Amino acid sequence: MRKRIIVTGGNRGIGKEICKQLVSMGHDVFLTGRNIQKGEDAALEVGAKFRQLDVSNGEHINEFIHKFKDEVGGLDVLINNAGILIDSGMDVMNIDFDVVHKTSETNLYGPWRLIQGLLPLLEKSANGRVINISSGMGAIQDLSNDHPAYRISKTALNALTLMVHSHAGSLINVNAMCPGWVRTDMGGSGASRPVEKGAETAVWLATAEEIPNGKFLRDKTVIDW
């Protein structure tokens, strides 16, 4: 079944690879990004449709949702992939709270606003799905002192996943997933996983007929929150 899929932050890294794999499977993929030129180039490369979107800007999100509803009118899968990690070298006692705020705007509030605005379309789908790209760094049992803004934003994204599942899990499928440590601009060249592996679980959650609901996963396997 051909699906209409939004992938935020799709112009590079894991997001771009997710778009590439989904397009190759025959789906209608809407690749979003802040930078128009980079987004259009990436969309052309992988065969997706580009839509400009800054997930850190609430007004821009509202404009995006309004236009998407008017121009496309339906949605089957929302993949909240866009994210930032800008607190390297900081710990919980020396963190700059402007960094915490900026990180949360992108990693938490953006996905939250998109889910709120696009939920009516997802609920009309025959098999609506939300996939939040999270991180094992946000798992409560693995929390440590480094990267506090990033970690707490992902812990909160996991909590949001559970709350949305509680609200709409009978109508749509809602999951979070950890791609692992992937060789991207964010993960760095020393990361242990290729980008194809990082994208694998998100693509599976978007397309497989039978998947979990309301879970946190890595490598298609449920992991602890």
Side-chain angles (χ1 to χ4, degrees):
M1 178 182 174
R2 192 179 184 95
K3 296 176 182 286
R4 295 156 295 185
I5 304 172
I6 290 173
V7 182
T8 67
N11 60 288
R12 63 179 184 170
I14 294 170
K16 184 178 177 182
E17 180 63 25
I18 290 171
C19 292
K20 178 182 177 181
Q21 292 186 27
L22 290 171
V23 169
S24 72
M25 298 168 74
H27 299 293
D28 292 324
V29 178
F30 298 87
L31 178 159
T32 82
R34 288 180 296 180
N35 184 287
I36 293 176
Q37 188 61 59
K38 291 180 180 178
E40 288 180 342
D41 289 347
L44 181 63
E45 181 181 341
V46 303
K49 303 175 181 68
F50 175 68
R51 295 290 188 276
Q52 187 184 23
L53 174 61
D54 180 355
V55 299
S56 69
N57 186 314
E59 290 185 6
H60 202 213
I61 289 173
N62 290 336
E63 292 173 5
F64 168 84
I65 291 168
H66 180 75
K67 289 180 180 179
F68 191 87
K69 287 179 177 178
D70 284 347
E71 295 174 3
V72 182
L75 180 65
D76 301 296
V77 183
L78 169 63
I79 302 179
N80 284 311
N81 167 76
I84 59 173
L85 190 161
I86 56 172
D87 57 349
S88 296
M90 300 180 188
D91 64 35
V92 71
M93 288 295 108
N94 72 11
I95 188 68
D96 180 339
F97 282 97
D98 287 338
V99 170
V100 176
H101 178 75
K102 185 174 182 179
T103 301
S104 296
E105 283 286 357
T106 296
N107 294 4
L108 175 62
Y109 304 149
W112 199 340
R113 291 181 175 116
L114 283 167
I115 292 169
Q116 277 191 342
L118 294 169
L119 187 61
L121 294 184
L122 291 165
E123 289 181 337
K124 291 178 182 177
S125 169
N127 197 353
R129 301 179 180 190
V130 172
I131 303 159
N132 293 323
I133 308 301
S134 184
S135 170
M137 290 176 69
I140 290 175
Q141 65 177 8
D142 292 327
L143 289 178
S144 64
N145 189 39
D146 62 315
H147 301 98
Y150 181 78
R151 286 182 182 276
I152 206 161
S153 73
K154 293 302 187 179
T155 303
L157 182 64
N158 287 349
L160 175 66
T161 303
L162 285 172
M163 288 189 284
V164 175
H165 170 69
S166 176
H167 174 79
S170 63
L171 297 175
I172 67 171
N173 192 292
V174 187
N175 289 294
M177 55 94 32
C178 169
W181 187 23
V182 179
R183 290 190 290 276
T184 62
D185 289 346
M186 181 184 291
S189 59
S192 58
R193 291 179 163 219
V195 69
E196 293 83 2
K197 188 66 175 177
E200 181 181 49
T201 298
V203 172
W204 174 71
L205 287 170
T207 60
E209 290 188 13
E210 298 292 333
I211 60 171
N213 195 359
K215 303 298 182 182
F216 187 25
L217 302 103
R218 183 190 296 121
D219 295 335
K220 305 180 186 177
T221 301
V222 174
I223 60 176
D224 291 336
W225 296 98

